[in-house]
Amino acid sequence: MDRTSHRRRRTAGLIAGAVAAVTALTAGVLTAPAASADATLGQLAAAKGRYFGSATDNPTLSDVPYQQILGSEFGQITVGNTMKWMYTEPTQGQFDYTQAEAIVDRAEANDQLVRGHTLVWHNQLPGWVSNVPADRLLGVMRDHITNEVAHFKGRLIHWDVVNEAFEENGSRRQSVFQQKIGDGYIAEAFKAARAADPNVKLYYNDYNIEGVNAKSDAVYNMVKSFKQQGVPIDGVGLQAHLIVGQVPATLQQNIQRFADLGVDVAITELDIRMDLPRTTAKDTQQAEDYGKVVRACLAVSRCVGMTIWDFADHHSWIPSVFPGQGAALLYDENFGKKPAYYAVAAALGGTSSPSPSPSPSPSPSPGGDGCTASYKVTSQWQNGFTADVTVRNSGTAAIDGWTVTWTFPDGQRISNLWNGDLTADGSSVTVRNVGYNGRLGAGASTSFGFQGSYTSSNGTPTGIACAAA
Ligand code: G2I
């Protein structure tokens, strides 16, 4: 009880309102100057009166490198799974918050804000809920909300009260709640949440409502009528599970129209997926897209914060649901910061480019074996870089394959290579053609690329050579 009341006192200033919460965080946590080169995304956002956070899930609690980044880089945490109904009330009337608490405790120890996700959703629902008779489901839904919201009272800034209740065409999703309780279930859910905690901000959360479209129109109309009827809603969460190159052009306009209804807006589950493998071009487009989303939020004062749906690509939900797609987040699977990370930092007012700057000059290998290789760093950021190698048939006859070799001078390592077949032995690198790019006519060229890491410097490789087959 002491622990809880201490938390309540400590977070009292934080839950007064989302913007106020961020201001309090800014005052309490920011020690570095807002735009210093090594300010975290959380600090940069806080300096703009916003939060920048990440979702996380329980299996990562014991992953030390992961937790170091999660605990330091972000100002806000969303519990990615274990606040959902199947975890918190697996059997009717038996509530279990152990797993959710483990994440919330850690976030509080790190002075991070926490969003609650989610109370009423058709997914990750224990089987028993579907068997509740129609005339009892409203009561069951209220009990669930009341218990969970009361349990976390004073510790969260937002609750996603109802999640994904609409179809793409703007009609209501035919969930068990919709079918058995009817249209009124959403308003009833918000009322029950407000009664259980008058301070936490109550959000409706959905995907594909980032731009102006039939689905976001339906949510807009619902929020408008809730405001007219006095149903307690404080915010709309735009999940923002986006695709590279497809940030909706109406994103800012859409955020603004919700804000104009008198609710806050949050970007709640941001990720921007691509068809694998990554390439420099896709990474560049993704970085631009992340920047667009951050700028759209910052442009609307009621857009209170942004959350990415976990931060490193190997912890993303995307590859298991969209086979062949992924690389949607800000860090790669080795926890290297991707170009998208720097784009977010820049959009939040931090340094706009990684340092040191990319080496500009290509270094051609000596010819003589029928082919040459030119090595060029295409982008570089702290501890990471991408490079392209152009292979050219310098002879007078076609070749049927090639092998490029070099030695890294500074202990660089390749994490991900495309359009070639890599063999690396410490600093020695060998890349052979793959099936589709081995044959080169006289004078013709092809290229492969990779992403790598370095520690202190990223010197040009020595002994770059190309041998034709
Ligand atoms: O689907 C992406 C998100 C869309 N909006 C609502 C979010 O709550 C949702 O999150 C995802 C989680 O990131 C996944 O981790 O929700 C999924 C369920 O729809 C979660 O996936 C589940 C898997 O389906 C289970 O097999 C797995 O046991 O995650 C569970 C825990 O890892």
Side-chain angles (χ1 to χ4, degrees):
M1 193 180 120
D2 279 342
R3 202 169 72 137
T4 309
S5 51
H6 164 73
R7 279 196 191 113
R8 284 185 192 161
R9 268 198 310 280
R10 192 164 67 83
T11 55
L14 300 183
I15 59 173
V19 174
V22 178
T23 311
L25 181 76
T26 309
V29 176
L30 257 189
T31 48
S36 85
D38 53 1
T40 65
L41 300 181
Q43 290 168 337
L44 291 167
K48 302 264 184 202
R50 313 300 211 280
Y51 62 77
F52 194 93
S54 175
T56 191
D57 198 5
N58 292 67
T60 58
L61 279 165
S62 55
D63 181 337
V64 174
Y66 175 97
Q67 288 296 328
Q68 275 168 352
I69 298 172
L70 185 76
S72 60
E73 188 68 43
F74 303 100
Q76 177 269 327
I77 296 295
T78 300
V79 180
N81 272 310
T82 51
M83 282 184 173
K84 295 170 182 172
W85 199 318
M86 66 177 280
Y87 296 96
T88 54
E89 195 185 2
T91 303
Q92 185 169 9
Q94 293 182 17
F95 294 90
D96 180 359
Y97 299 110
T98 327
Q99 293 200 76
E101 292 266 357
I103 293 177
V104 177
D105 286 348
R106 187 81 64 102
E108 287 174 344
N110 291 325
D111 276 316
Q112 292 165 312
L113 306 171
V114 183
R115 295 192 82 251
H117 174 84
T118 178
L119 295 166
V120 179
W121 189 28
H122 65 279
N123 216 335
Q124 288 173 297
L125 202 56
W128 67 264
V129 176
S130 308
N131 299 325
V132 173
D135 61 341
R136 286 183 34 217
L137 189 57
L138 177 57
V140 163
M141 183 187 81
R142 284 185 180 134
D143 286 349
H144 178 75
I145 293 170
T146 303
N147 194 292
E148 182 155 8
V149 174
H151 182 85
F152 287 105
K153 188 174 179 183
R155 301 178 69 183
L156 310 180
I157 55 163
H158 304 165
W159 259 117
D160 287 332
V161 177
V162 176
N163 196 41
E164 303 175 5
F166 287 89
E167 300 284 1
E168 303 309 291
N169 65 6
S171 66
R172 284 292 185 91
R173 181 190 294 275
Q174 293 302 307
S175 68
V176 65
F177 305 104
Q178 179 68 32
Q179 288 182 337
K180 292 190 177 174
I181 305 172
D183 280 348
Y185 87 90
I186 301 183
E188 292 307 320
F190 277 85
K191 289 178 195 166
R194 180 67 101 229
D197 181 350
N199 293 318
V200 66
K201 298 289 176 189
L202 305 179
Y203 275 66
Y204 175 78
N205 190 51
D206 213 329
Y207 61 90
N208 287 350
I209 59 165
E210 295 76 28
V212 174
N213 57 39
K215 190 173 183 178
S216 66
D217 282 352
V219 176
Y220 178 87
N221 290 330
M222 177 187 75
V223 173
K224 190 173 176 186
S225 80
F226 279 11
K227 293 302 271 186
Q228 284 162 355
Q229 296 164 39
V231 176
I233 185 167
D234 304 302
V236 174
L238 313 181
Q239 293 187 5
H241 294 294
L242 302 176
I243 297 170
V244 160
Q246 297 182 32
V247 176
T250 51
L251 174 60
Q252 184 180 324
Q253 176 194 338
N254 191 44
I255 296 172
Q256 186 67 58
R257 72 169 173 157
F258 279 109
D260 291 344
L261 288 177
V263 290
D264 292 337
V265 177
I267 307 290
T268 52
E269 304 184 13
L270 177 62
D271 50 29
I272 309 185
R273 62 186 184 265
M274 61 175 70
D275 288 331
L276 296 171
R278 290 171 63 192
T279 63
T280 304
K282 290 182 216 172
D283 273 10
T284 304
Q285 180 65 50
Q286 183 186 52
E288 205 171 290
D289 294 341
Y290 265 101
K292 271 187 203 166
V293 174
V294 172
R295 287 191 296 273
C297 179
L298 293 180
V300 180
S301 59
R302 288 199 82 136
C303 184
V304 298
M306 293 144 274
T307 309
I308 50 175
W309 205 242
D310 229 311
F311 64 88
D313 287 338
H314 55 307
H315 290 292
S316 170
W317 67 291
I318 298 284
S320 63
V321 175
F322 299 98
Q325 298 180 51
L329 297 169
L330 302 186
Y331 290 76
D332 67 22
E333 47 289 322
N334 300 313
F335 298 120
K337 293 173 178 173
K338 293 161 61 180
Y341 173 95
Y342 293 99
V344 169
L348 291 172
T351 49
S352 58
S353 63
S355 60
S357 55
S359 80
S361 51
S363 331
S365 67
D369 280 323
C371 60
T372 60
S374 298
Y375 179 100
K376 186 177 181 211
V377 173
T378 47
S379 70
Q380 185 168 303
W381 56 94
Q382 195 183 7
N383 299 332
F385 68 108
T386 54
D388 274 344
V389 178
T390 301
V391 179
R392 187 172 168 272
N393 178 355
S394 54
T396 51
I399 60 173
D400 275 319
W402 43 263
T403 302
V404 175
T405 52
W406 69 78
T407 304
F408 279 127
D410 297 320
Q412 296 103 320
R413 291 288 180 271
I414 295 176
S415 55
N416 174 28
L417 185 138
W418 48 93
N419 295 335
D421 183 20
L422 170 69
T423 315
D425 178 11
S427 298
S428 302
V429 176
T430 302
V431 181
R432 293 190 176 79
N433 63 275
V434 283
Y436 54 83
N437 64 5
R439 185 165 176 86
L440 292 177
S445 60
T446 187
S447 67
F448 62 89
F450 65 87
Q451 184 172 22
S453 60
Y454 67 96
T455 45
S456 51
S457 60
N458 187 21
T460 305
T462 55
I464 301 173
C466 185

